[in-house]
Amino acid sequence: MKKQLLILLVTLLPILSFGQANKFYRKALRTIDLNEKIKLLNQAIDEDPNHLDSYFLRALTKNDLGDYSGAIVDYSKIILKKPDADSYFNRGNSRYSLKDLVGAKNDYAKAYELDPNFIDALYSLACVKYDLEDFKGAIQDFDKILKANPNFLKAYLLRASSYKALENHKKALADYTLAIMISPDANTYYNRGVFFMDINYYDRANEDLTKSLRYNSYNTFAHFYRGASFLLLGKFQKAINDFSNALKLDPLDFDAHLGLALTYYKMGDLANSKVHFIKAKEIINPENKIAFPDLYENTYWYQSHYYYFVNNIKELEKLLQN
C-alpha cells in the first residue's frame, strides 16, 4: 500500500508543479509592475523548469526593463528546448538593442526560415542588412515584402535609400515617387526632396521640400535643406529666411549658421556673415581645439558640397583675421 502511495505521489508531483507554475504565470500576465512580473515568473520557473511560456514572458519583460542580455539568455533556453520563430525574432530584437547586428541578422533570418509568412521578421532582416550596408541583400528582402504587401510605405522608402546608396538613382527615384503616391505627406516629400538635393537637382528638391513644409512647418531639416537649395540656386533672401527659420526651431544648428554665413558672404554683407560664422564655430568647436579643415568634416556643407564650401570657407576664415 505504501509503495502504491509513493508511486501515486511521484506521478502527481509534476502535475501539481505544472499547475502551480501556471498559477504564477497567469498572475504575472495580469501584473503591470515589471519587477513584480519577473519575481512571479521566477517562481513559475522554479516550480517547473520546463515552463517555456514563463521563460518567454520573462524574456520579454527583461527586454522591456533594458536587460537585453538577460532576455537573450531566456530566449536561448527556449530555442535549445523547442526552437520557434517568435523566440528567434525576439532574441534578434534584443541583440539589435545591444548593437549586435550580425547576431540579430542571423536570428531574423532563422525566424523567417521557420515561418515564411513572418513578414515582421523579414522586414527586420532587411533593415539590419541595410544597417550593415548590405544594400543588395536588403533590396532582395524589400522586394519580397512589397510583393506580399504592395502598400508598405516604409519598405519603399528604405528600398529607395538602398538604391541611392548603390547609386541606382533611377530606381531610387521610382521608389520615392511610389511612396508619395501611397502617402503624399511631409515625410515622403521630405525624403524625395533630400534625394534630389543629393543628386544636385536643386529646383526639384525645392519643390518637394516646399510641399513637405506645407504639411509640417516645424521640420528643422526641411527648412535647412530648402535654404541650401535656395542658396545654391542663387536666391539669397529666400535662403536667409529658411536658414533663420531652422535656427528658430534649433538654435544649435551649426549647418544653418554656416548656411547664413555663406549666404550673407555671397550678398556682400560681411558683418552678418562674420557673426554667423563665429556662432557656427563656437557650436562645432567650443574649446577651439580642432584645426581647419577637420573642424568642418561633420558638417553638411563639407560632406555634400566640398569644393563650394572649401573655396568659400577660406574667405570666411580671412574675415575673422580682419
Side-chain angles (χ1 to χ4, degrees):
M1 180 69 182
K2 287 182 180 179
K3 186 177 180 181
Q4 290 176 338
L5 184 60
L6 183 61
I7 292 171
L8 182 62
L9 285 171
V10 171
T11 304
L12 287 174
L13 276 174
I15 298 172
L16 292 171
S17 295
F18 182 77
Q20 194 69 7
N22 273 340
K23 181 180 176 181
F24 287 123
Y25 173 73
R26 287 194 296 271
K27 191 172 180 181
L29 283 173
R30 297 191 297 270
T31 303
I32 297 174
D33 183 273
L34 298 181
N35 289 304
E36 180 62 24
K37 192 186 290 284
I38 292 285
K39 290 179 183 178
L40 290 166
L41 293 166
N42 288 343
Q43 289 176 290
I45 291 167
D46 287 341
E47 290 290 338
D48 180 8
N50 293 313
H51 201 280
L52 300 186
D53 286 341
S54 291
Y55 280 110
F56 189 80
L57 183 57
R58 189 172 71 174
L60 289 174
T61 308
K62 286 179 179 178
N63 191 82
D64 290 342
L65 286 167
D67 180 11
Y68 305 120
S69 296
I72 289 168
V73 170
D74 278 345
Y75 291 129
S76 298
K77 289 177 180 178
I78 298 169
I79 288 167
L80 282 171
K81 293 181 179 181
K82 191 178 179 181
D84 67 289
D86 283 334
S87 296
Y88 273 111
F89 174 72
N90 283 282
R91 189 173 72 173
N93 289 340
S94 295
R95 283 179 163 166
Y96 189 88
S97 296
L98 289 174
K99 303 190 186 307
D100 177 9
L101 301 186
V102 174
K105 183 187 79 168
N106 293 336
D107 277 347
Y108 293 141
K110 190 65 179 177
Y112 182 63
E113 178 187 325
L114 291 172
D115 182 0
N117 295 316
F118 200 164
I119 297 300
D120 283 346
L122 181 59
Y123 177 70
S124 295
L125 177 60
C127 289
V128 79
K129 285 180 180 179
Y130 177 86
D131 290 340
L132 288 166
E133 298 186 1
D134 175 12
F135 301 116
K136 290 183 179 179
I139 288 168
Q140 289 173 354
D141 289 339
F142 287 129
D143 287 345
K144 295 175 188 175
I145 292 165
L146 290 168
K147 186 175 181 180
N149 183 358
N151 293 315
F152 197 151
L153 180 62
K154 289 183 179 179
Y156 279 112
L157 290 173
L158 283 169
R159 190 174 69 175
S161 188
S162 299
Y163 278 128
K164 182 173 75 171
L166 294 172
E167 298 186 357
N168 189 334
H169 297 151
K170 185 176 180 180
K171 287 192 174 181
L173 176 57
D175 273 349
Y176 283 124
T177 302
L178 282 169
I180 289 172
M181 291 174 67
I182 293 168
S183 180
D185 57 26
N187 184 50
T188 53
Y189 277 114
Y190 170 78
N191 276 279
R192 193 174 70 174
V194 173
F195 166 72
F196 279 132
M197 286 295 294
D198 288 342
I199 60 173
N200 303 328
Y201 279 49
Y202 305 127
D203 278 318
R204 296 191 67 179
N206 193 283
E207 291 174 6
D208 277 350
L209 292 165
T210 297
K211 290 174 183 176
S212 176
L213 285 165
R214 285 175 187 159
Y215 285 104
N216 176 17
S217 62
Y218 295 97
N219 185 342
T220 305
F221 300 109
H223 281 292
F224 168 76
Y225 277 113
R226 191 175 68 171
S229 73
F230 278 131
L231 170 57
L232 295 166
L233 288 167
K235 299 178 181 180
F236 301 133
Q237 188 55 55
K238 290 183 177 181
I240 287 172
N241 293 340
D242 268 335
F243 290 138
S244 299
N245 284 332
L247 287 168
K248 287 177 185 177
L249 295 167
D250 180 7
L252 297 179
D253 186 345
F254 52 80
D255 271 320
H257 277 299
L258 286 173
L260 282 170
L262 289 166
T263 307
Y264 280 121
Y265 177 74
K266 289 293 185 182
M267 295 175 72
D269 186 344
L270 302 185
N272 272 317
S273 179
K274 187 174 180 179
V275 166
H276 288 285
F277 188 49
I278 291 172
K279 286 182 179 179
K281 292 187 74 170
E282 287 174 347
I283 296 169
I284 298 169
N285 189 23
E287 297 179 1
N288 199 29
K289 291 182 178 180
I290 309 173
F292 177 87
D294 295 342
L295 169 63
Y296 304 106
E297 65 180 6
N298 291 322
T299 68
Y300 165 78
W301 302 103
Y302 186 93
Q303 293 177 358
S304 299
H305 299 284
Y306 176 79
Y307 293 108
Y308 178 89
F309 180 64
V310 169
N311 289 336
N312 286 283
I313 209 72
K314 289 177 182 176
E315 300 303 318
L316 292 175
E317 289 281 358
K318 290 178 183 177
L319 286 179
L320 301 185
Q321 298 170 12
N322 298 329

